[in-house]
Amino acid sequence: MRILETKNYQEMSQLAAEYIIEKIRHSAQINLGLATGSTPLGTYSEMIKDFEKDETSYQHVRTFNLDEYVGLDNKHPNSYNYFMRENLFNHINITEEQTHIPNGMAANIEKVCQGYEELLEKQGGIDLQLLGIGKNGHIGFNEPGTSFESITHKVKLAQSTRLANARFFTSMDKVPTHAITMGISTILRSKEILLLVSGEEKSEAVKQLFYGPINENFPASVLNTHQNVTIIGDKKAFAGII
Ligand code: F6R
């Protein structure tokens, strides 16, 4: 694992955006795995600024999001589909056909999951996967206890994750109970992984990732088995650790 420490969230976002942009500029075609949540927001905003100023083209980029809630349609402001359009896709030169997010509104969720795996395979897999981490070590919506062998699947959300995401909803009962997520093994098939960590609330998870055992009780621990992981984090996330 390569570890890059930054002063603060803003610097983390800048560095992460530069990292991703560099890859885009140097690849004829690139498949990006994307995450939602608070952590990558600054990165996306830096990518948008760069697009406006330096005109990095997304013409040859395909994106594949990690996850989506079950039961929220594209127009729902809390769907990850909406999030991605609002915070990135609508502001860069990328068409809808180039972007992929599991469809949480489909009648047959199993089929969506299987189709997502097939799509990833057909498109040559993910070159660079961007990740955030949950306080309980989840990556994507893979909660503690998820098999390291898992592929894209439907999950019941842990109460702690629903609580953490409740800030985006008007009330707790509006927070979806299920989601679709790439599995751990799907994530690990990415050629490269870029994990972002910010703030002291993530420092316990970072400590566990660095020094804890590699097992399914802490899903992110599996990243220690991947050949090409870079972690960009701010001082607060690394406090007392490195
Ligand atoms: C989002 C995702 C989640 C988040 C994690 C951290 O697509 O897959 O695993 O990365 O919950 O969320 P934030 O960044 O909001 O702390």
Side-chain angles (χ1 to χ4, degrees):
M1 274 187 191
R2 270 181 305 277
I3 299 162
L4 304 172
E5 190 188 55
T6 66
K7 221 165 49 205
N8 52 33
Y9 178 81
Q10 178 57 23
E11 257 193 17
M12 176 199 78
S13 304
Q14 261 157 8
L15 191 59
E18 279 165 22
Y19 196 96
I20 297 167
I21 289 162
E22 165 91 1
K23 300 271 172 193
I24 294 174
R25 284 181 171 259
H26 287 93
S27 324
Q29 161 74 56
I30 185 167
N31 290 344
L32 287 183
L34 297 178
T36 57
S38 308
T39 313
L41 270 177
T43 304
Y44 295 152
S45 131
E46 291 300 321
M47 288 165 74
I48 294 167
K49 277 192 217 156
D50 159 84
F51 173 72
E52 287 164 355
K53 191 166 151 274
D54 292 328
E55 299 177 357
T56 299
S57 177
Y58 289 76
Q59 203 181 347
H60 301 294
V61 175
R62 285 186 293 234
T63 68
F64 300 87
N65 265 77
L66 276 170
D67 42 17
E68 177 61 287
Y69 287 118
V70 169
L72 300 190
D73 67 32
N74 291 352
K75 293 185 196 69
H76 194 293
N78 290 323
S79 73
Y80 286 173
N81 194 306
Y82 188 97
F83 175 103
M84 288 311 302
R85 280 180 287 126
E86 275 291 296
N87 295 302
L88 183 64
F89 300 155
N90 285 351
H91 310 283
I92 57 175
N93 66 328
I94 200 161
T95 63
E96 209 180 316
E97 291 68 38
Q98 289 167 260
T99 67
H100 307 89
I101 303 178
N103 176 9
M105 289 300 286
N108 189 339
I109 297 291
E110 303 308 319
K111 210 166 147 198
V112 171
C113 296
Q114 200 189 327
Y116 209 57
E117 287 288 320
E118 286 165 7
L119 177 73
L120 282 169
E121 169 95 39
K122 206 169 96 197
Q123 307 272 13
I126 288 172
D127 297 301
L128 176 64
Q129 174 68 57
L130 184 62
L131 287 183
I133 185 173
K135 284 195 231 170
N136 64 0
H138 73 231
I139 47 175
F141 270 127
N142 296 289
E143 302 288 4
T146 306
S147 164
F148 282 171
E149 307 294 316
S150 56
I151 57 173
T152 303
H153 62 293
K154 179 178 170 181
V155 286
K156 187 172 186 318
L157 300 179
Q159 192 62 0
S160 58
T161 300
R162 292 186 69 231
L163 275 170
N165 290 356
R167 64 190 191 275
F168 301 113
F169 294 82
T170 49
S171 63
M172 188 62 193
D173 61 320
K174 298 268 193 318
V175 185
T177 54
H178 292 83
I180 299 171
T181 183
M182 284 186 198
I184 299 283
S185 122
T186 321
I187 293 171
L188 277 203
R189 282 203 307 272
S190 310
K191 295 176 191 80
E192 180 172 3
I193 293 174
L194 177 60
L195 172 66
L196 304 184
V197 288
S198 169
E200 57 193 338
E201 69 197 52
K202 295 293 170 70
S203 68
E204 268 311 310
V206 174
K207 201 180 284 174
Q208 180 91 0
L209 170 65
F210 289 171
Y211 302 114
I214 300 176
N215 66 40
E216 292 168 355
N217 295 327
F218 193 80
S221 64
V222 79
L223 298 176
N224 288 294
T225 68
H226 193 282
Q227 299 301 315
N228 195 354
V229 177
T230 300
I231 305 181
I232 305 181
D234 59 19
K235 267 203 164 65
K236 285 186 175 160
F238 290 137
I241 305 171
I242 58 168

